[in-house]
Amino acid sequence: MKKVLLSIALSVALTLTAFAPVSANADTIVDKSTTQGSQAQAAVMGSDVILSAAFGRTPASDDGQLYVFELKTYEYSIPDGAMPIASVTAAPTVGVSFPLNYTGGYGRLYNKFVFAAKRGTDWALVCNPQYITNPEAVSTNKTAVRQARPAKLFQQDNVANISLNGIPDGMPVGTQHIVFTNTESYVATADPHQTDDAHPVKNNPVVAYMLNADDDAGIMGLINDMNEYSAGFSHAQDFVIGNEVNERCWNYMAWVDWDTYVRKYVQAFRVCYTALKVNNPAANVYISLDQVWNKNVSNTEYLDGDEFLAKFNRMINENGNIDWNMSIHPYPNPLYYPKFWDLSGVANGKLFKSQVDKDQVITFQNLSVLTNVLQKPDYLNRFGQVRDVIIGEIGMGTNAGNDAQAAGLAAAWAAFERNPYVTQFMYLEVDVNGFFPTMTPYTREMWNALGTEKETEYMDWAMKQIGITDWSQVLR
């Protein structure tokens, strides 16, 4: 369908007409009978944007025309005073081109575009608004290629988690936008969602805030930061937008329903993705989920990972599929106890085991649960490929003993090696809150051997510790 829509657009010339601004009394409606059956696409070609749509039938229009409106990322209806930027005769399939107006800054690159029809004093949207899905087309770095990445690395190496940090003492909430790397961070101005709310964790320390693409200042802050960051730190080519974004304490904002929460994140993700792809078309841009997958618990603190991913994917697809990727944190369950094969030494061990068995949480034991979802047709990228998956964070505690730490690491590595869709394994050594994943000398010896010709002896040792003869006995 993508090629068909583009060919439609290229065959239709831009209609130059004197357009009147939308009246303050006009309302925007959505023609669901048309939008639900339509397919639309916006793409850059040369210095123009090509917007095309296939409806199945000619959309109803009072004057026989369809008009193109430009919306900002946070707009979901035609604002008062807006003027169409193009028009075309209504038909079952339509296409039109108009200038991108991109000169290395903002232009129309971060906006979305929609066909609308006149219905009396109202405007009816006849397709879903579409973002440009190939922002890399305007890059001056078109020859960029991905550098070879080690499969095994510590989390801080060459990967950027981009988030809004907590505030310094005495500074108003949300005035700093901090981007972290393994060795560097820098500060630029941007406003996250603000302050007074009834969120359950408001009296707890706030670690990070939801990225803001809900106003012009926030969008420009994100664009400027992504431009500076991706240009200034050439070693980074993988970017994770936020941290465990299905968990509100890492993405703090005034309480809203989960659809709205995910939509705010999608807005910010789009802006960051576009800016990063312009600077480095070879970059990979990831969303990040924790391990809570399908507990079906009504909770204002977190949303199940499967539900978050479904909402995120649906919202992305509705407004133009892009090549997002997936970072997952498949820690043991419970987090601090790597002796997964024997939970008799931990309180509620049977419950923790059943959560993994029922896929209520994702650990290295059932990593295929995630990649099975990503293989479904609706989850594929623009080219029909399964999206890249990385283990963006994992660690093994020593709470069950040093041998359990090493054996747990071996099992997690075996799960990684068995899954063809997971390309990177990132270990995080941060001892905090009773969790001690810093590697013991033997675990580090094993770590150094993983992925080498010495791996087998350590994996054989681990299987004996666990009491198995094949990893399929404990891994799915």
Side-chain angles (χ1 to χ4, degrees), residues 104-401:
Y106 189 96
R108 287 173 165 157
L109 190 62
Y110 297 88
N111 293 340
K112 52 192 172 184
F113 311 94
V114 65
F115 285 110
K118 284 185 177 180
R119 305 278 177 83
T121 59
D122 299 332
W123 289 95
L125 304 187
V126 294
C127 66
N128 290 318
Q130 297 296 303
Y131 290 94
I132 291 165
T133 56
N134 63 335
E136 65 275 5
V138 307
S139 177
T140 59
N141 190 21
K142 291 185 174 63
T143 59
V145 295
R146 284 188 61 78
Q147 302 301 310
R149 298 279 288 140
K152 177 189 67 178
L153 67 167
F154 288 99
Q155 196 225 32
Q156 299 90 338
D157 295 341
N158 299 322
V159 176
N161 271 83
I162 297 170
S163 60
L164 285 175
N165 192 31
I167 60 174
D169 291 341
M171 184 169 286
V173 170
T175 58
Q176 288 199 328
H177 182 175
I178 299 182
V179 178
F180 295 97
T181 71
N182 55 326
T183 58
E184 302 143 325
S185 67
Y186 72 91
V187 180
T189 58
D191 291 328
H193 298 284
Q194 312 276 6
T195 52
D196 295 331
D197 63 82
H199 192 277
V201 300
K202 69 177 182 178
N203 294 320
N204 295 336
V206 174
V207 178
Y209 296 87
M210 174 66 79
L211 296 168
N212 175 31
D214 222 25
D215 53 46
D216 292 341
I219 290 171
M220 286 307 302
L222 289 175
I223 293 171
N224 291 337
D225 285 351
M226 298 307 103
N227 288 344
E228 182 180 349
Y229 182 72
S230 55
F233 304 102
S234 58
H235 64 275
Q237 61 180 356
D238 292 348
F239 302 87
V240 183
I241 309 304
N243 174 60
E244 298 183 351
V245 293
N246 59 313
E247 176 67 65
R248 291 182 66 90
C249 76
W250 307 114
N251 308 273
Y252 186 76
M253 64 182 293
W255 170 252
V256 293
D257 63 89
W258 282 111
D259 278 353
T260 301
Y261 175 93
V262 177
R263 187 176 299 112
K264 302 297 186 187
Y265 175 74
V266 168
Q267 290 174 190
F269 187 94
R270 284 258 188 201
V271 172
C272 293
Y273 174 94
T274 298
L276 291 167
K277 283 291 192 180
V278 167
N279 284 283
N280 182 2
N284 277 353
V285 188
Y286 298 83
I287 73 169
S288 167
L289 297 181
D290 68 8
Q291 67 184 133
V292 177
W293 184 248
N294 187 23
K295 285 189 174 181
N296 291 322
V297 176
S298 178
N299 197 312
T300 57
E301 294 293 326
Y302 67 85
L303 182 66
D304 280 343
D306 64 343
E307 192 173 352
F308 183 99
L309 191 61
K311 292 178 185 294
F312 175 89
N313 186 59
R314 173 178 55 79
M315 292 178 187
I316 289 287
N317 283 337
E318 285 177 351
N319 301 121
N321 193 11
I322 51 177
D323 300 329
W324 58 270
N325 296 291
M326 183 77 246
S327 174
I328 188 71
H329 299 173
Y331 283 97
N333 190 46
L335 174 74
Y336 57 84
Y337 203 82
K339 196 176 181 181
F340 64 93
W341 62 94
D342 179 9
L343 296 181
S344 60
V346 63
N348 299 316
K350 290 183 179 180
L351 172 63
F352 288 117
K353 181 180 184 303
S354 71
Q355 288 175 339
V356 178
D357 292 343
K358 296 176 182 178
D359 300 331
Q360 293 177 339
V361 298
I362 288 181
T363 75
F364 54 88
Q365 295 171 255
N366 60 341
L367 193 56
S368 61
V369 171
L370 172 64
T371 53
N372 286 345
V373 170
L374 293 176
Q375 291 175 66
K376 295 179 179 180
D378 287 349
Y379 282 85
L380 302 178
N381 69 14
R382 290 183 297 159
F383 306 100
Q385 301 166 333
V386 178
R387 299 173 191 277
D388 187 55
V389 180
I390 60 175
I391 294 176
E393 187 178 309
I394 196 170
M396 298 293 155
T398 53
N399 308 66

